[in-house]
């Protein structure tokens, strides 16, 4: 009989690789019932379903189907619908003891707020990360979530410092390491065995991988076209593969950049990929150009140069210790770093402590004691 009932909340693509290893680790505790709740912030097959299949994750017991919308709209829908879920209790009608949220998407913050108002404790996996840039929606989500969460599970040392500075009690802060890396460690052999790069005419170690989706990079025509021009130019020397996020695809069309991009023979445009195909490409790339948070971390573990198209990062260990360099949306800086990579003079990095594939076990141990 379960004596600890958890509502485990996922909403958007980067949440799935963090929740999957935790659910597996929780399976080792017969006294814990973990109910999986999908808010539906991401709903496309290739942004959601494919991850459940590839990560071996059970189907959600509860779906909130909130879909896309303005921030207020989307957040409000999660708040309203998740509050209802908490009021109804588990599928067996019992009260939830703890809500587990991961990452920094709108669903993370909204679920935390709903739980805190109902007096249900919250554990936040990936707590304490700060970019100190309040123009980023994720930064607001991180600050609000941590302010009202009860158990703060941290992936890198800067997160501990940030939480201490914000006055969080020491006994709430747990440095458990990077849970998303558990998924990478688990699936890397399977990903590397795939022939994904061959399918797109690429040779291991001889192509760059690009992802861009942050509003700050893709929502303004001048910025997006400036970044694309550097990529188009680089692709004459180094082929690039570019899985395009739906937000970015919309903007490229809206800003009339589709033809220009299609004219670059060295750029392979793809739809968003599943976890295994993506890892097959990222793990064998010569360089990664991205504005994704997760990819900054994955490239550090893989030892692959990562040129991060952001002016700041909430994951400073990937720059100080890892393989990432912040290039903002400055075309000169980006091009300079790409040249260093092509000439093999780019810096080397090392793997941060506790990014070892065992973070989910450490997280489950903390939760079991809640
Ligand atoms: C969200 C997260 C971001 C995360 C990213 C990963 C927030 C504030 N942002 O950004 O932190 O890095 O997910 O992908 O939570 N769309 C689809 N299909 C879908 C989902 C969305 O086509 O399944 C389109 C819709 O047009 C939508 C747009 O993508 O308006 C943006 O989706 P949204 O969830 O609002 O934000 P993301 O940019 O995906």
């Amino acid at each position: 009989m379960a004596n600890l009932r958890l509502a485990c909340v996922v909403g958007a693509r980067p949440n799935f690789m963090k929740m999957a290893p935790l659910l597996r680790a929780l399976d080792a505790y017969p006294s814990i019932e973990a109910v999986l709740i999908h808010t539906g912030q991401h709903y496309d097959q290739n942004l959601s379903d494919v991850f459940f299949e590839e990560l071996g994750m059970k189907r959600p017991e509860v779906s909130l189907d909130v879909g896309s919308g303005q921030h207020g709209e989307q957040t409000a829908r999660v708040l309203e619908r998740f509050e209802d879920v908490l009021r109804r209790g588990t599928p067996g009608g019992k009260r939830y003891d703890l809500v587990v949220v991961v990452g920094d998407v709108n669903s993370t913050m909204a679920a935390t707020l709903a739980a805190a108002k109902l007096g249900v404790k919250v554990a936040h996996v990936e707590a304490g990360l700060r970019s100190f840039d309040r123009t980023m929606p994720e930064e607001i989500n991180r600050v609000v979530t941590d302010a009202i969460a009860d158990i703060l599970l941290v992936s890198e040392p800067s997160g501990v410092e940030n939480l201490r500075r914000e006055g969080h009690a020491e006994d709430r802060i747990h440095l458990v390491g990077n849970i998303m890396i558990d998924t990478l460690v688990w699936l890397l052999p399977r990903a590397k065995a795939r022939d994904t790069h061959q399918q797109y005419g690429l040779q291991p170690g001889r192509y760059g991988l690009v992802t861009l989706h942050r509003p700050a990079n893709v929502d303004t025509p001048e910025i997006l076209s400036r970044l694309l021009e550097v990529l188009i130019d680089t692709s004459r020397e180094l082929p690039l593969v570019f899985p395009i996020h739906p937000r970015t695809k919309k903007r490229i069309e809206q800003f009339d950049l589709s033809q220009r991009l299609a004219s670059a023979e060295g750029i392979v445009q793809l739809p968003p990929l599943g976890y295994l195909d993506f890892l097959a490409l990222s793990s064998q790339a010569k360089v990664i150009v991205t504005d994704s948070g997760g990819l900054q971390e994955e490239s550090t573990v893989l030892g692959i140069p990562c040129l991060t198209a952001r002016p700041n990062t909430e994951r400073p260990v990937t720059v100080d210790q890892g393989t990432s360099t912040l290039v903002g949306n400055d075309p000169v800086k980006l091009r300079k770093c790409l040249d260093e990579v092509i000439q093999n003079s780019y810096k080397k990095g090392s793997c941060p402590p506790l990014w070892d594939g065992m973070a989910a076990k450490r997280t489950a141990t903390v939760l079991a004691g809640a």
Side-chain angles (χ1 to χ4, degrees), residues 119-188:
V120 183
K121 284 210 288 183
V122 178
H124 181 206
V125 176
E126 207 182 82
L129 298 182
R130 297 287 180 269
S131 66
F132 305 102
D133 175 358
R134 296 259 171 122
T135 63
M136 274 184 88
E138 293 80 4
E139 181 72 355
I140 310 286
N141 293 340
R142 290 188 281 261
V143 169
V144 172
T145 301
D146 288 341
I148 53 179
D150 302 273
I151 303 174
L152 301 163
L153 299 136
V154 186
S155 57
E156 66 162 81
S158 74
V160 174
E161 282 167 39
N162 294 332
L163 292 169
R164 281 186 184 145
R165 200 180 41 251
E166 289 171 13
H168 291 278
E170 208 59 38
D171 62 352
R172 294 186 172 203
I173 306 173
H174 307 269
L175 182 63
V176 289
N178 194 325
I179 204 164
M180 193 189 60
I181 299 305
D182 289 20
T183 298
L184 183 147
V185 169
W186 179 48
L187 289 175
L188 187 59

Side-chain angles (χ1 to χ4, degrees), residues 12-14 41-44 47 68-69 71 74 104-107 137-138 141 213-215 245-247 250:
R13 180 169 65 176
Q41 176 172 343
H42 283 176
Y43 42 84
D44 279 354
L47 288 189
S68 300
H71 284 274
Q74 191 175 56
D104 56 14
V105 301
N106 285 344
S107 301
E138 293 80 4
N141 293 340
H213 77 285
R214 298 265 163 221
H245 187 281
R247 171 189 285 279
K250 262 193 197 168

Side-chain angles (χ1 to χ4, degrees), residues 328-355:
N329 55 34
D330 178 349
V332 177
K333 220 167 168 186
L334 175 56
R335 186 63 231 214
K336 183 174 163 285
C337 287
L338 281 164
D339 286 341
E340 281 178 26
V341 172
I342 291 169
Q343 289 151 18
N344 295 320
S345 61
Y346 187 79
K347 71 170 177 178
K348 303 266 179 286
S350 63
C351 186
L354 304 180
W355 293 23

